[in-house]
Amino acid sequence: MKKIFLFAAMAFLTFTATAQVKFAYVDFNELVMLMPEADAARTQMQAAQKEASDTYQSMVDEANAKFSEYQQKQATWTPAIKESKEKELGEIQNRIQEFQQSIQMELQQQNQQLMEPIQKKAMETVEKLAKAGGYTMVFESSQYLYVDKSQCKDLTPDARKELKIPANRTLESLQAELQAQQQQQ
């Protein structure tokens, strides 16, 4: 009899404990992408990418000019001059490849540095809302195959307000803005 009572008491305590657990979910990517600070970061990254692209293009133009000169004049050059020009073309090609590799890494690092404080601010906002709402766990909505939205609270709208993201701004409108900017360039 004591075992049955103990089992019933444990089941009741388990049920009571789980009944008090509150869950929420949030679209973290939406928050980060739509924050005003993300617009400034994208603008900085676009400027850095344009500068890198311009530098790359000038290097390619230089290589093409040297190669064109080589093709036009190689028949008249002595073997020593021809060898020197071929070596120069090889060095230019190596510099272009090294530049491509290093600039990609630098741009990735710059993007990470720009996005880190934005992600941190979004995370702090979600944590603040979760604590204020008494939520035990907050799930990233895109990480789960299924979330019963009737059993959880969507913190995304509250976080959007807290982060000062305009109500009419969506990922779709952001994508349209970015496409329009690309077409202008």
Side-chain angles (χ1 to χ4, degrees), residues 14-150:
T14 303
F15 175 75
T16 305
T18 55
Q20 295 175 358
V21 175
K22 291 173 63 177
F23 298 105
Y25 63 94
V26 68
D27 188 338
F28 193 74
N29 182 54
E30 176 182 329
L31 296 177
V32 170
M33 295 299 292
L34 297 179
M35 288 173 61
E37 295 90 336
D39 291 336
R42 272 190 291 278
T43 300
Q44 281 185 274
M45 283 306 301
Q46 287 171 348
Q49 289 169 340
K50 179 163 179 18
E51 188 175 324
S53 178
D54 291 347
T55 301
Y56 174 78
Q57 190 57 50
S58 69
M59 293 172 82
V60 169
D61 290 345
E62 175 191 358
N64 288 339
K66 297 274 185 182
F67 184 70
S68 180
E69 177 189 19
Y70 173 83
Q71 286 180 322
Q72 291 173 359
K73 297 182 180 180
Q74 70 174 329
T76 61
W77 287 337
T78 65
I81 294 174
K82 188 175 179 180
E83 183 181 332
S84 173
K85 294 293 183 177
E86 287 171 354
K87 184 178 177 185
E88 182 182 7
L89 287 171
E91 290 170 356
I92 291 171
Q93 188 64 32
N94 287 340
R95 276 190 294 142
I96 291 172
Q97 288 174 350
E98 288 173 9
F99 176 77
Q100 275 184 305
Q101 291 171 353
S102 67
I103 199 65
Q104 285 177 343
M105 287 179 17
E106 285 180 27
L107 289 173
Q108 286 175 348
Q109 288 173 349
Q110 183 177 0
N111 189 49
Q112 287 174 338
Q113 289 172 346
L114 290 171
M115 294 306 291
E116 189 175 311
I118 296 167
Q119 291 170 340
K120 183 179 179 187
K121 182 178 179 181
M123 182 62 78
E124 289 170 349
T125 298
V126 170
E127 287 176 8
K128 176 183 164 189
L129 291 169
K131 286 178 183 176
Y135 297 99
T136 305
M137 294 183 128
V138 177
F139 298 98
E140 166 40 65
S141 61
S142 68
Q143 299 294 317
Y144 290 92
L145 296 176
Y146 174 75
V147 173
D148 184 352
K149 294 182 179 182
S150 67

Side-chain angles (χ1 to χ4, degrees), residues 150-169:
S150 67
Q151 300 293 317
C152 300
K153 165 101 169 112
D154 183 2
L155 291 181
T156 308
D158 296 335
R160 286 175 60 103
K161 288 177 191 170
E162 188 81 21
L163 294 167
K164 297 176 179 44
I165 298 171
N168 63 345
R169 189 145 197 234

